Amino acid sequence: MKAKAFDSRLFKRILVYTKPYKARFYGVIFFAVALSVFAALRPYLLKKTVDAYIQPKDSHGLLMYIVLMGVVMLFEVFSQFYFVYWANWLGQDIVKDIRMKLFRHMLSFRMQYFDNAPVGQLVTRAVSDIEQIARIFSQGLFMIISDLMKMIVVLGFMFYMNWKLTWIVIVAMPILVYVTRIFQRKMQVTFEEVRNQVANLNTFVQERVTGMKIVQLFNREAIEAEKFRQINDKHRKAWVKTIWYNSIFFPIADIISSLTLGMVVWYGGIRIIGGDNFTTFGDLFSYTMFIGMLFNPLRQIADKFNEMQMGMISANRVFDILDTTSHIQDTGTIEAPDFTGNIEFNNVHFGYLENEEVIKGVNLSISAGETVAIVGATGAGKSTIINLLNRFYELNSGEIDIDGTNIEHYTLASLRKQIAVVLQDVFLFADTILNNITLNNPDISREDVIAAAKKIGVHDFIMSLPQGYDYNVKERGVMLSSGQRQLIAFLRAYVSNPGILILDEATSSVDTHTEELIQHATEAVTKGRTSIVIAHRLATVINADKIVVMDKGKVVEQGTHGELLSKPDGYYKNLYESQFLAAEQN
């Protein structure tokens, strides 16, 4: 949906977030009204001062009005302070609520959503787009209300003082309104283009910084720099358009304002020189202020409306994500107990894309306490089996049961709490080793972690690092080797005490010592619990209780190592001789 210049439906949706802050919301409006009244009183008091005290040379009355003007200015400053402070405060509270809701919503998305959504774009939505929504309140809505109130009050004073002179001002206002409307329409298009280019820029930078190693390994610096130059140039051109329209509009608005002021002073001055009672010197003095107070808000409303547009466009983008229903259906009512670990795949079909099945009628039985190795060529569907067991994706058809209950009947949180996964590509946060192991779970103490680390044989490795368990591994764990990251992942899985353990245990490019640690950790964490291993090493395959062989989304063979090797021309036998033995010999 394309954001309109003013989408009332969208605006009402934004206003819903002001409900918890009603008192402050109406307080801001009150101070906006007070500010307009006190601002308009100053020129009126100036008129009275000139006509009643300066021209008659009444110094006592002059002092009294000067003091009165000072008091009015103090009230104006007081109103201005609370108006600006509360408007910004309200905007930030609303942004806090929307950002929290957005992040929680994103946390519940199925993996398929993140497969297709650029990370940089999501970051833009959650950070800069939401921050722009705050400007609807701090720089947009309330400023427009304040300016409109000021214009209404100023016009009221002007008509009260000299309605005939005021009509000169009224005649000029439609011209400025028309120019403002054209400006606003042009800016709507350019602002949407700006937000698009900001998202593209964020996405590009995010991906290149994350994949900097690949960029440098393949000597892509010059190519990526050129791509960045093109995207950056589009971003610059989008902003230059906004600068161009601003450069045209504001001088035109100033010319209209100046010409109107000149006409009022000229016409009023001629009538005073002519000796009639059409106007007074006090009127002319106050009108020089009133015209600025009338035309400047009208001119600035266009600028404030731009802020509203930017906020509305950003809100539209944020609400698009909030309206996305890419969730795993968490309709289960059973809290998963401590799993025994009996797993059944019953005629399971699944595809990441419509009409392109990756898993084709898989039937598989895993008994409690078994270690099952899944082997097969790349793309056979091994990792997909793991994703389906964790309910990262919805099945097309079929059923997966754990301990005799369909996994869809368990609550999602309790199901995943009972299944621990060690992935081949281990992700660590920019935090301490301890926090990466516990993931800030208050139920897992430092003592628990240390005891578990000693049990699976990684305590000495951790203590060899600077600060030990308090060592910060930086973003994505770059301070550790791939083998060390995997050891941390083993420990993270072990301390969660899962009923079912899943390992993607690739150990390519790992030194002999780390290999031994991983082998020991694997034996420790799989002991006594149901374990599914995507096997890449000969030792894992041979020691598994059962080997499941997959090809093109189907289970083609299963049995023990000896049983499968005894099959002449069997798929596993060929895979064993061509892949596992060759890898072991290397």
Side-chain angles (χ1 to χ4, degrees), residues 479-512:
M479 302 304 290
L480 302 177
S481 69
S482 59
Q484 290 172 331
R485 288 197 296 272
Q486 196 164 52
L487 288 171
I488 298 301
F490 274 110
L491 185 52
R492 179 162 63 192
Y494 187 65
V495 297
S496 67
N497 193 28
I500 297 171
L501 182 67
I502 298 172
L503 304 179
D504 189 348
E505 46 83 84
T507 54
S508 58
S509 303
V510 172
D511 61 83
T512 304

Side-chain angles (χ1 to χ4, degrees), residues 141-174:
L141 172 65
F142 293 124
M143 289 294 184
I144 291 173
I145 292 173
S146 176
D147 286 344
L148 288 174
M149 288 299 305
K150 191 178 294 183
M151 290 169 62
I152 291 169
V153 174
V154 164
L155 277 173
F157 272 98
M158 291 172 73
F159 271 109
Y160 172 73
M161 289 164 50
N162 192 322
W163 66 271
K164 293 179 181 178
L165 202 60
T166 302
W167 277 109
I168 298 175
V169 181
I170 297 296
V171 168
M173 287 185 68

Side-chain angles (χ1 to χ4, degrees), residues 392-420:
F392 286 145
Y393 301 88
E394 299 278 17
L395 304 181
N396 290 0
S397 64
E399 183 178 307
I400 301 174
D401 296 337
I402 297 179
D403 291 346
T405 301
N406 189 328
I407 59 173
E408 294 182 5
H409 297 161
Y410 293 120
T411 63
L412 203 55
S414 67
L415 170 70
R416 290 177 179 169
K417 187 176 181 181
Q418 285 296 311
I419 302 174

Side-chain angles (χ1 to χ4, degrees), residues 201-260:
L201 196 63
N202 284 348
T203 300
F204 185 89
V205 173
Q206 171 87 23
E207 289 180 346
R208 269 56 185 185
V209 170
T210 303
M212 188 58 69
K213 183 180 289 186
I214 299 299
V215 171
Q216 294 183 355
L217 279 173
F218 289 89
N219 198 28
R220 297 272 303 177
E221 292 93 336
I223 296 171
E224 298 302 334
E226 175 58 23
K227 286 184 178 179
F228 181 79
R229 186 196 64 76
Q230 292 173 5
I231 295 173
N232 196 32
D233 192 52
K234 288 180 181 179
H235 177 264
R236 179 189 63 83
K237 286 178 180 177
W239 272 110
V240 165
K241 280 186 181 180
T242 69
I243 296 169
W244 168 252
Y245 290 130
N246 277 293
S247 300
I248 294 174
F249 170 73
F250 288 107
I252 291 175
D254 284 338
I255 289 171
I256 295 171
S257 177
S258 299
L259 288 175
T260 304

Side-chain angles (χ1 to χ4, degrees), residues 369-382:
E370 274 190 331
T371 295
V372 175
I374 302 179
V375 300
T378 301
K382 304 185 296 295

